[in-house]
């Protein structure tokens, strides 16, 4: 079993900062990609940021320059440092990992339960 658990969400004022964390546990052979998605009420789930092998990162245009994704391979964790938060960043943030559970496994996607981020005055 693979489990991803997010933490760090909460209520913050516009312009504030939050640091989200996600820890993966279970039968993990190798993590290919870790990413953060978010879903606001009435909207589609969207990719916020991802980090792959070699530390290659990708960000949604809406968060570039404000968010930073990082990965601690030794701990099977991923973080999302969010600065300059805006009300439109309000959403449930989900951790996703594409990982292999064993050698020969091409990789499958696993999702965390989500953590609420609310940006409001």
């Amino acid at each position: 079993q693979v489990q991803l658990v997010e933490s760090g969400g909460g209520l913050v004022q516009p312009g504030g900062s939050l640091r989200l964390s996600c820890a993966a546990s279970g039968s993990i052979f190798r993590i290919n990609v870790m990413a953060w998605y978010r879903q606001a009420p009435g909207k589609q789930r969207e990719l916020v940021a991802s980090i792959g092998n070699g530390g290659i990162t990708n960000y949604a245009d809406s968060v570039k320059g404000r968010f930073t994704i990082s990965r601690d391979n030794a701990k099977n964790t991923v973080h999302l440092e969010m600065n300059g938060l805006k009300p439109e960043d309000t959403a449930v943030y989900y951790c996703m990992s594409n990982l292999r559970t064993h050698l020969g496994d091409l990789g499958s996607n696993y999702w965390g339960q989500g953590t609420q981020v609310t940006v409001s005055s």
Side-chain angles (χ1 to χ4, degrees):
Q1 181 183 357
V2 174
Q3 184 178 22
L4 275 64
V5 179
E6 303 101 330
S7 62
L11 175 64
V12 65
Q13 294 185 348
S17 299
L18 283 174
R19 179 178 168 88
L20 305 183
S21 298
C22 172
S25 62
S27 300
I28 301 172
F29 175 71
R30 182 181 181 183
I31 295 176
N32 297 318
V33 176
M34 299 195 81
W36 288 96
Y37 288 74
R38 67 186 181 188
Q39 187 167 23
K43 300 190 69 176
Q44 300 271 7
R45 185 174 298 187
E46 64 175 346
L47 176 66
V48 177
S50 66
I51 183 165
N53 293 333
I56 299 173
T57 58
N58 180 260
Y59 296 92
D61 287 341
S62 60
V63 307
K64 285 181 179 178
R66 299 189 297 120
F67 291 9
T68 302
I69 188 169
S70 61
R71 175 175 169 179
D72 187 336
N73 293 329
K75 297 181 179 180
N76 291 330
T77 60
V78 63
H79 305 279
L80 186 68
E81 186 73 37
M82 304 185 294
N83 300 307
L85 284 163
K86 304 175 181 179
E88 52 262 44
D89 294 318
T90 296
V92 177
Y93 284 69
Y94 296 90
C95 177
M96 188 280 288
S97 179
N98 182 275
L99 59 84
R100 301 175 177 180
T101 60
H102 60 275
L103 184 64
D105 178 17
L106 296 181
S108 298
N109 293 338
Y110 297 86
W111 293 86
Q113 82 288 346
T115 185
Q116 177 71 47
V117 172
T118 302
V119 184
S120 176
S121 298

